[in-house]
Amino acid sequence: KAGVTQTPRYLIKTRGQQVTLSCSPISGHRSVSWYQQTPGQGLQFLFEYFSETQRNKGNFPGRFSGRQFSNSRSEMNVSTLELGDSALYLCASSLAQGTYEQYFGPGTRLTVT
Amino acid sequence: GQQLNQSPQSMFIQEGEDVSMNCTSSSIFNTWLWYKQDPGEGPVLLIALYKAGELTSNGRLTAQFGITRKDSFLNISASIPSDVGIYFCAANYGQNFVFGPGTRLSVLP
């Protein structure tokens, strides 16, 4: 069974631009969560989507948004990029909302210059 | 807010040695999980614990959910070079997760 895939793997953007990251969960998994990982803050929860609806949200500004499609694939968008948004963005899938066994993708490394 | 503390922050061990690391909090959690992350990759789930006092093994790995529900430990027996990486604990409150800062493990041949 294929794992979680994330595209692109690497991305370089400049301040003020926006970016969209994509995540395809494991087949049959309906919940997708997004995390930001930085050396200083570690792994921080962004939001969780289940059945195309955002179910939970972490403590991030409104510039961070996401959506989920009917096939469970998810996208995350960051608008008006700031230098501090440089991070590894990880997507994790699980069978259902509130299922704690999450399986992570390899991440998208975003660098903002 | 909820916060997890992991110790040690980093450790260097000889191949073949046993390893022990733990994760503590001042808050009570319902689920504890342990992940391992290799450079350039996402975390991989190692063990999930759902009941206070639960002891679970996965090969050479053993983890326990503390009786107080405020801590968990992970043991690795007979370490091998591929055990190198960062080990994260995670715990759930409500339907969100919080992750610890990680323990960086280095295995010397």
Side-chain angles (χ1 to χ4, degrees), chain A residues 35 37 56 97 100-102, chain B residues 33 37 40 50 95-97:
Chain A
Y35 294 83
Q37 186 176 32
N56 296 293
Q97 182 191 2
Y100 306 114
E101 296 184 21
Q102 296 187 326
Chain B
L33 305 98
Q37 187 173 26
Y50 296 100
Q95 295 187 32
N96 293 340
F97 280 116

Side-chain angles (χ1 to χ4, degrees), chain A residues 4-13 19-24 34-38 46 74-76 78 85-92 104-112, chain B residues 37 40-43:
Chain A
V4 177
T5 58
Q6 291 187 247
T7 57
R9 291 293 308 273
Y10 303 92
L11 205 48
I12 300 175
K13 292 284 190 178
V19 66
T20 299
L21 312 181
S22 181
C23 171
S24 292
W34 288 89
Y35 294 83
Q36 182 195 65
Q37 186 176 32
T38 59
L46 280 157
S74 177
E75 287 182 348
M76 191 192 99
V78 188
D85 296 333
S86 295
L88 181 67
Y89 289 89
L90 292 159
C91 162
F104 284 83
T108 294
R109 171 76 60 187
L110 172 65
T111 301
V112 182
Chain B
Q37 187 173 26
E41 299 295 329

Side-chain angles (χ1 to χ4, degrees), chain B residues 27-98:
Chain B
S27 303
I28 290 175
F29 293 98
N30 295 324
T31 305
W32 286 89
L33 305 98
W34 285 91
Y35 288 86
K36 175 178 181 262
Q37 187 173 26
D38 292 329
E41 299 295 329
V44 173
L45 179 64
L46 299 173
I47 292 179
L49 303 158
Y50 296 100
K51 277 193 329 188
E54 180 181 354
L55 185 71
T56 297
S57 293
N58 178 8
R60 294 178 297 107
L61 278 59
T62 302
Q64 183 159 29
F65 190 144
I67 288 290
T68 65
R69 293 168 61 195
K70 294 182 180 180
D71 61 359
S72 176
F73 73 75
L74 175 71
N75 286 343
I76 305 172
S77 63
S79 58
I80 59 178
S82 62
D83 290 333
V84 166
I86 303 177
Y87 290 80
F88 292 98
C89 60
N92 90 288
Y93 64 99
Q95 295 187 32
N96 293 340
F97 280 116
V98 59

Side-chain angles (χ1 to χ4, degrees), chain A residues 55 59 67-68 73 76 78 89 91 93 99 105:
Chain A
R55 302 293 178 159
N59 190 25
R67 59 177 176 168
Q68 186 180 35
R73 190 177 70 85
M76 191 192 99
V78 188
Y89 289 89
C91 162
S93 78
T99 302

Side-chain angles (χ1 to χ4, degrees), chain A residues 29-32 48-55 68 94-98:
Chain A
H29 284 195
R30 296 175 60 196
S31 173
V32 173
E48 179 189 13
Y49 283 86
F50 178 77
S51 291
E52 302 176 63
T53 302
Q54 186 180 95
R55 302 293 178 159
Q68 186 180 35
S94 57
L95 276 171
Q97 182 191 2

